[in-house]
Amino acid sequence: MPRQITAFSNPLVKQVRGLREKKNRRADGQFVAEGLRILTEAREMGRLPQILFFAEGTRHPLLDALIATTEAAGGDVVETNADILGKLTSKDNPQTAVGVYPLPATDLAAIDRDAAPLWIVAQALRDPGNIGTILRTGDAVGAGGLILIDDCADPFSFEAVRASMGAIFTQRIAAARWEAFQPWLRSGPAQLVGTSLQTSHDYRDPCYEKPVFILVGNEQAGLPEAYEQECDLLVKIPMLGKADSLNAAVATAVMAYEVINQWRS
Amino acid sequence: MPRQITAFSNPLVKQVRGLREKKNRRADGQFVAEGLRILTEAREMGRLPQILFFAEGTRHPLLDALIATTEAAGGDVVETNADILGKLTSKDNPQTAVGVYPLPATDLAAIDRDAAPLWIVAQALRDPGNIGTILRTGDAVGAGGLILIDDCADPFSFEAVRASMGAIFTQRIAAARWEAFQPWLRSGPAQLVGTSLQTSHDYRDPCYEKPVFILVGNEQAGLPEAYEQECDLLVKIPMLGKADSLNAAVATAVMAYEVINQWRS
């Protein structure tokens, strides 16, 4: 049976509210996902929350299933009110369900490159919304996951998790310095493809060979030149207007769809 | 000669700070763009600010050119400090230059469909970041502009202008209800292309005929069925994972690059 919490001063509420900060996510080894649909997708992937909050008076078959499986797995199920739920998520539009999940391992050893034909590698991406959107795109193109190089925004932040629309649970996530990523990448088959303004090589011309690793650079600076030199292919997405670059998540998607379209043809 | 303002209580500072709200932008007929690079792109497009703020002590050839052309055109050039500049933009990372521009006309009459082979039409898009990102993509694919249907976020908001990275000045922008857009669209040549989950028609199969109007739906709900029925083509971007949709700005870009890639081939 779910227990009830209706006091904002409750220690569990305070702890979960603290998970909006990265240092607390690290210390507690947990992150938060919101929304019945996304929590249900996680459940279908075999990922259950350690703590599940839901709003009193909410009845939905998917919520019932989520409560039942979470309780069966020994999770803590908490019935609360919309006000507290809103404070857990700091949103104007609170969700009916909030789940607290264990942070997965994010070392490169978590990545099995044979598990997918395509992987996305992001370097020094600073916008958590971009990271979440790239995860969502990764899911759509059948990528295996996202490898975050150097200092990126946290993929387990509220904003990134929200923008991922559930892909935080379907995509493998790793984080590494470039110096560690390089030898790992070359320890097996890999075609590292960077998008660059320094080349005239149209992104539709090469033959992409599995497994492809698409490398995306920082929103302002793009890829460091030394990283570009390590790419097996440097390609350019045509820019027909005044601007010289695309949004990082958009460029990743345009590139990734070209790769899978070649394979679909 | 630039005049100096260093008091936060100055009426002009208060007025420009007020432009963060849509009702003030409408009342004053003005919007704000930030950053020397974007203001310079605007200048190169022949768009000059009515008011230009810059930080005292800043020297840059592009800033000098901006000041000179703004003054020559009768604009108000104001030297101020970094603190006030930061307050005008509500950013942690204030820019060295902020421009106040007249809101352009946004009725459909502002759109000359013969001016470009591709136009983007967004319906009920609620995220200003998505609108700015779509403008940026529109510039990159050589689109003529963005037509906003029904209740969309304001393309002249700070967030949208920022995300557009200057495309707010290169893309035509119109806003209309669907009931007005429909007869306008059909008063000339147009291929209206919607992306939909309700079709199995792969987005790479059709032959796209200029001028193409790409129609994108609301972030949550997608396109209303009645709008889909008005499309000349309904196509589907393949989704290989668990998710059933892409971010709206990502979907627009994937679609737009397919269209121009056909024409480039």
Side-chain angles (χ1 to χ4, degrees):
Chain A
M1 278 291 291
R3 60 183 174 127
Q4 288 201 318
I5 295 180
T6 52
F8 184 55
S9 59
N10 180 283
L12 189 65
V13 171
K14 285 194 171 174
Q15 184 252 321
V16 173
R17 198 168 142 81
L19 294 175
R20 280 176 301 169
E21 288 182 38
K22 184 176 182 181
K23 68 172 195 284
N24 294 327
R25 290 193 293 274
R26 291 221 169 160
D28 298 350
Q30 294 178 315
F31 73 101
V32 172
E34 314 156 60
L36 187 53
R37 183 174 151 186
I38 286 169
L39 270 53
T40 297
E41 278 186 22
R43 176 173 65 80
E44 290 171 352
M45 298 290 298
R47 303 276 287 273
L48 292 171
Q50 296 172 319
I51 314 166
L52 170 66
F53 291 89
F54 69 97
E56 61 193 353
T58 312
R59 285 270 71 97
H60 191 289
L62 289 177
L63 179 61
D64 293 343
L66 195 58
I67 290 171
T69 47
T70 301
E71 283 185 330
D76 190 4
V77 179
V78 178
E79 182 172 6
T80 187
N81 56 42
D83 194 36
I84 287 183
L85 222 47
K87 288 203 163 104
L88 289 181
T89 60
S90 71
K91 262 184 111 178
D92 303 334
N93 177 22
Q95 301 287 337
T96 53
V98 170
V100 179
Y101 294 83
L103 280 178
T106 57
D107 44 320
L108 283 170
I111 303 284
D112 171 15
R113 78 181 73 197
D114 299 330
L118 178 61
W119 298 84
I120 298 172
V121 187
Q123 183 261 336
L125 272 200
R126 296 292 153 78
D127 182 333
N130 277 343
I131 293 195
T133 301
I134 288 173
L135 286 166
R136 184 178 181 185
T137 299
D139 178 281
V141 296
L146 175 63
I147 301 169
L148 299 167
I149 300 294
D150 302 339
D151 295 318
C152 287
D154 186 1
F156 299 102
S157 67
F158 274 65
E159 196 180 348
V161 171
R162 249 180 232 144
S164 85
M165 292 291 283
I168 194 81
F169 295 109
T170 67
Q171 295 287 290
R172 291 259 167 202
I173 295 170
R177 307 301 303 180
W178 180 254
E179 296 70 29
F181 171 69
Q182 272 288 100
W184 176 86
L185 184 77
R186 299 308 177 190
S187 70
Q191 189 183 52
L192 184 64
V193 180
T195 58
S196 172
L197 307 171
Q198 316 301 327
T199 178
S200 57
H201 200 184
D202 194 285
Y203 80 119
R204 300 189 75 207
D205 290 342
C207 182
Y208 295 110
E209 288 172 20
K210 305 174 186 179
V212 164
F213 291 76
I214 295 175
L215 177 60
V216 199
N218 169 266
E219 289 94 344
Q220 264 74 51
L223 289 171
E225 202 180 317
Y227 294 21
E228 287 193 351
Q229 287 173 357
E230 290 295 333
C231 287
D232 300 300
L233 291 171
L234 268 189
V235 295
K236 186 180 167 65
I237 298 172
M239 305 289 298
L240 307 183
K242 291 269 295 174
D244 62 4
S245 69
L246 292 164
N247 165 277
V250 163
T252 305
V254 169
M255 190 67 231
Y257 269 96
E258 174 58 26
V259 170
I260 67 160
N261 283 341
Q262 279 198 8
W263 296 340
R264 293 197 302 137
S265 294
Chain B
M1 278 293 291
R3 59 184 175 126
Q4 289 202 318
I5 295 181
T6 52
F8 184 55
S9 59
N10 179 283
L12 188 66
V13 171
K14 285 194 169 172
Q15 185 251 321
V16 173
R17 199 168 141 81
L19 294 176
R20 282 176 301 170
E21 289 183 37
K22 184 176 182 180
K23 68 172 195 286
N24 294 329
R25 290 194 293 274
R26 289 223 171 160
D28 299 349
Q30 294 178 316
F31 74 101
V32 172
E34 312 157 62
L36 187 54
R37 183 174 152 185
I38 287 169
L39 269 54
T40 296
E41 278 187 20
R43 176 173 66 79
E44 289 171 352
M45 298 289 299
R47 303 276 286 274
L48 292 172
Q50 296 172 318
I51 313 166
L52 171 66
F53 291 88
F54 69 97
E56 58 193 355
T58 312
R59 286 269 71 99
H60 192 290
L62 290 177
L63 179 60
D64 292 341
L66 196 58
I67 291 171
T69 48
T70 302
E71 284 185 331
D76 189 4
V77 178
V78 178
E79 183 171 4
T80 186
N81 55 42
D83 194 37
I84 287 183
L85 223 47
K87 287 199 164 108
L88 290 181
T89 59
S90 71
K91 262 185 114 178
D92 303 334
N93 177 22
Q95 301 288 336
T96 53
V98 170
V100 179
Y101 293 84
L103 281 178
T106 57
D107 45 322
L108 283 171
I111 302 284
D112 169 15
R113 80 181 70 197
D114 299 329
L118 178 62
W119 297 84
I120 298 173
V121 187
Q123 184 261 335
L125 272 202
R126 296 292 153 76
D127 182 333
N130 278 342
I131 293 196
T133 302
I134 288 173
L135 286 167
R136 184 178 180 184
T137 299
D139 178 280
V141 297
L146 176 62
I147 301 169
L148 299 166
I149 300 294
D150 301 341
D151 295 318
C152 287
D154 186 0
F156 299 102
S157 67
F158 274 64
E159 195 179 347
V161 171
R162 249 179 234 146
S164 84
M165 293 291 283
I168 193 81
F169 295 109
T170 67
Q171 295 287 289
R172 291 258 168 201
I173 295 170
R177 307 301 304 181
W178 180 254
E179 295 71 27
F181 171 69
Q182 272 289 99
W184 176 86
L185 183 77
R186 298 308 177 189
S187 69
Q191 189 183 52
L192 185 65
V193 180
T195 58
S196 172
L197 306 171
Q198 317 299 326
T199 179
S200 57
H201 199 183
D202 194 284
Y203 80 121
R204 299 189 76 207
D205 291 341
C207 182
Y208 295 109
E209 288 172 20
K210 304 173 187 180
V212 164
F213 291 77
I214 294 175
L215 178 61
V216 199
N218 169 266
E219 288 95 343
Q220 264 74 52
L223 288 171
E225 203 180 316
Y227 294 20
E228 287 193 349
Q229 287 173 359
E230 290 295 332
C231 288
D232 300 300
L233 290 170
L234 268 188
V235 295
K236 187 180 164 68
I237 297 172
M239 304 290 297
L240 307 183
K242 292 269 294 174
D244 61 4
S245 68
L246 291 164
N247 165 277
V250 163
T252 306
V254 171
M255 190 67 229
Y257 268 95
E258 173 58 25
V259 170
I260 67 160
N261 283 341
Q262 278 198 8
W263 296 337
R264 293 197 302 138
S265 295

